[in-house]
Amino acid sequence: MDKFEPMVHDIRTLGLPALLSFHTVAKLGGISAAADELRMAKSGVSRHVSQLESHFGVSLLERGARSVRLTPVGRRLDERIRSILAEIDLLQDIAHEESVGVSGQVTIAATPEFGGLIATELFPVLQERHPNLTLVMRPDYAFEDMQDPGTDLAFRVGTFKDDRLVALELGAFSRWLVATPATHAQYAPKSPADLATLPCLTFRGDHPGGTWRFVKAGTEETVDVSGPIAVRSFGILLQLAQAGQGFANLPDFMVRNEVQKKALVRCLNGYDAPTYPVFLTFRPGARNVARVAAVIETAEEIIPSILRT
């Protein structure tokens, strides 16, 4: 007998429906909600979870009156199950695309502002090259869970480390300090330190204020800023800056055209901001799916030229 045969037989007894039921319970936080989503009886979902608990000999759920919580081992198991379900989706996609070519939906996660850049610059190119492809942008400042089969790709900004994912660095951007010509002329800051007493528009969701970083001749300078308005949206901060409400420190790709049109002024000449690398992340094996590979390949071609940094 092959030494792996007992282990393979053991795995076969788990059953995909049981894995899917448990993952859905974990995702939605309740057996009733999972049953509704899966269009199953609650007893069937409960039976699947019990089968898994019996198979592994551990408790996977802490059952309450109206909801359930994962036990520590339940959380670890769910992480692996999500990966298994993602791989099964991958197999289905490969089989489907083998016959119909590049088609289907690709769901991409990104921050709202960078997502807007992707939607306006990358999506039209993809539509021209692959007219049977449909594209969904999922904007959120929170990092998307890439073990969720519902998300194919995610753009992430800044330091990235996740051994479970492939990460392609496509370039970087910096932030530009901008204001209207009138605001700039009124206050005329000469150094970062001057900003400490000026009206600054900050990216916060709790209270105004923050620390801004600048670089000159290889030396970094920081300044604590404050002002009358804080908004957790770079898009709204741009609108406020355009309305003359103060100084804003915004991604260069958002304000480059406004500066070229002289609607905004780039302030503190001679000072630069640190750069922020941009990564395209996806699950291993994603390139084997034609629709996802098409987006990855086009992003590798287009995005570096858009970032310009």
Side-chain angles (χ1 to χ4, degrees):
M1 178 183 294
D2 189 295
K3 66 178 181 179
F4 294 111
E5 185 174 334
M7 179 176 66
V8 172
H9 176 75
D10 196 42
I11 292 173
R12 286 174 181 168
T13 63
L14 290 176
L16 179 60
L19 299 181
L20 181 59
S21 290
F22 173 69
H23 170 64
T24 308
V25 171
K27 179 176 68 172
L28 300 180
I31 290 176
S32 295
D36 289 341
E37 177 160 310
L38 296 172
R39 298 181 180 179
M40 293 176 56
K42 289 192 293 184
S43 59
V45 175
S46 295
R47 185 174 64 256
H48 283 160
V49 174
S50 296
Q51 287 172 352
L52 286 182
E53 291 181 319
S54 176
H55 178 89
F56 291 111
V58 294
S59 295
L60 301 176
L61 299 177
E62 294 177 357
R63 294 165 173 82
R66 295 188 177 181
S67 64
V68 297
R69 293 190 307 170
L70 296 181
T71 63
V73 68
R75 285 194 295 271
R76 293 176 59 192
L77 182 64
D78 184 52
E79 291 178 2
R80 297 300 181 185
I81 289 176
R82 279 182 291 173
S83 298
I84 292 170
L85 295 176
E87 289 299 315
I88 291 172
D89 278 353
L90 181 61
L91 293 175
Q92 293 174 333
D93 287 336
I94 293 172
H96 176 70
E97 289 168 349
E98 199 57 37
S99 60
V100 300
V102 178
S103 64
Q105 177 176 307
V106 177
T107 301
I108 302 169
T111 61
E113 290 73 31
F114 198 78
L117 180 70
I118 297 302
T120 56
E121 299 288 342
L122 181 64
F123 283 10
V125 177
L126 286 165
Q127 284 290 285
E128 182 179 354
R129 295 180 181 180
H130 308 289
N132 293 324
L133 197 63
T134 58
L135 302 160
V136 174
M137 174 58 65
R138 186 175 291 164
D140 200 330
Y141 288 116
F143 283 157
E144 192 74 12
D145 181 2
M146 285 301 298
Q147 299 307 313
D148 181 351
T151 304
D152 298 297
L153 303 166
F155 287 93
R156 292 185 174 176
V157 175
T159 303
F160 177 82
K161 182 174 177 58
D162 190 333
D163 295 336
R164 300 171 300 172
L165 300 177
V166 178
L168 302 177
E169 186 171 350
L170 298 182
F173 66 86
S174 64
R175 292 185 185 177
W176 288 3
L177 181 69
V178 296
T180 61
T183 300
H184 181 259
Q186 178 181 356
Y187 296 105
K190 299 292 190 300
S191 71
D194 295 338
L195 297 172
T197 58
L198 302 185
C200 293
L201 308 167
T202 52
F203 183 86
R204 294 290 291 265
D206 46 6
H207 60 82
T211 300
W212 288 353
R213 301 160 60 205
F214 299 89
V215 178
K216 183 175 184 180
T219 300
E220 182 173 296
E221 297 184 33
T222 62
V223 57
D224 292 330
V225 300
S226 61
I229 302 173
V231 184
R232 197 170 183 270
S233 166
F234 285 118
I236 296 176
L237 290 175
L238 173 57
Q239 295 175 22
L240 290 168
Q242 292 170 321
Q245 295 300 306
F247 294 85
N249 201 19
L250 300 173
D252 56 15
F253 59 80
M254 292 183 65
V255 297
R256 189 179 285 116
N257 288 340
E258 294 299 302
V259 171
Q260 289 176 349
K261 292 187 301 184
K262 301 185 186 302
L264 292 175
V265 175
R266 186 177 180 186
C267 311
L268 294 184
N269 287 333
Y271 287 90
D272 295 311
T275 57
Y276 301 86
V278 175
F279 297 91
L280 177 58
T281 67
F282 47 90
R283 293 181 291 274
R287 283 188 185 270
N288 295 326
V289 180
R291 60 181 172 79
V292 180
V295 177
I296 295 172
E297 292 166 5
T298 307
E300 288 179 295
E301 174 189 344
I302 301 296
I303 299 305
S305 63
I306 295 174
L307 292 173
R308 304 184 192 176
T309 301

